[in-house]
Amino acid sequence: MAGTMTNIENNTIRMYWNALRSMSKNIRLGLAVKLTNSVLEEERKEMSDEAYTEEMLNKFFGKWEGNETADELMGIIRQSS
């Protein structure tokens, strides 16, 4: 969500939460997945497959920005443990 939510948005969220909070954990998790997928699908429609894949990798997994090779990073990790 970008920016600040309006009172109407907050009231809508509160209304839905009041209706949903008594449902089982599995139902709420299922709804959360559907809501998340609907948002990701909207983002997906706005970019190419390659751009979407890169965006999702960066968003959810991040990326390493350094000059070390994979072997050098593994060495650093092993030394730290």
Side-chain angles (χ1 to χ4, degrees):
M1 287 183 198
T4 305
M5 286 194 289
T6 65
N7 285 337
I8 293 172
E9 290 168 328
N10 280 324
N11 289 339
T12 302
I13 291 168
R14 204 175 357 260
M15 178 188 70
Y16 278 103
W17 176 242
N18 287 333
L20 299 172
R21 69 179 170 193
S22 63
M23 294 181 179
S24 73
K25 181 171 93 174
N26 285 339
I27 292 172
R28 287 182 286 147
L29 285 171
L31 288 168
V33 167
K34 285 194 174 288
L35 286 169
T36 302
N37 285 340
S38 73
V39 171
L40 293 176
E41 184 60 30
E42 287 175 15
E43 290 178 7
R44 166 73 181 91
K45 289 177 183 176
E46 298 171 1
M47 56 180 75
S48 70
D49 288 346
E50 294 80 17
Y52 180 75
T53 298
E54 185 68 23
E55 176 71 21
M56 291 300 106
L57 288 173
N58 290 339
K59 185 174 188 176
F60 294 110
F61 298 109
K63 65 181 181 181
W64 180 256
E65 293 182 7
N67 296 324
E68 298 87 350
T69 66
D71 290 332
E72 291 171 333
L73 288 173
M74 289 306 298
I76 294 168
I77 293 169
R78 285 189 187 108
Q79 287 175 353
S80 299
S81 350

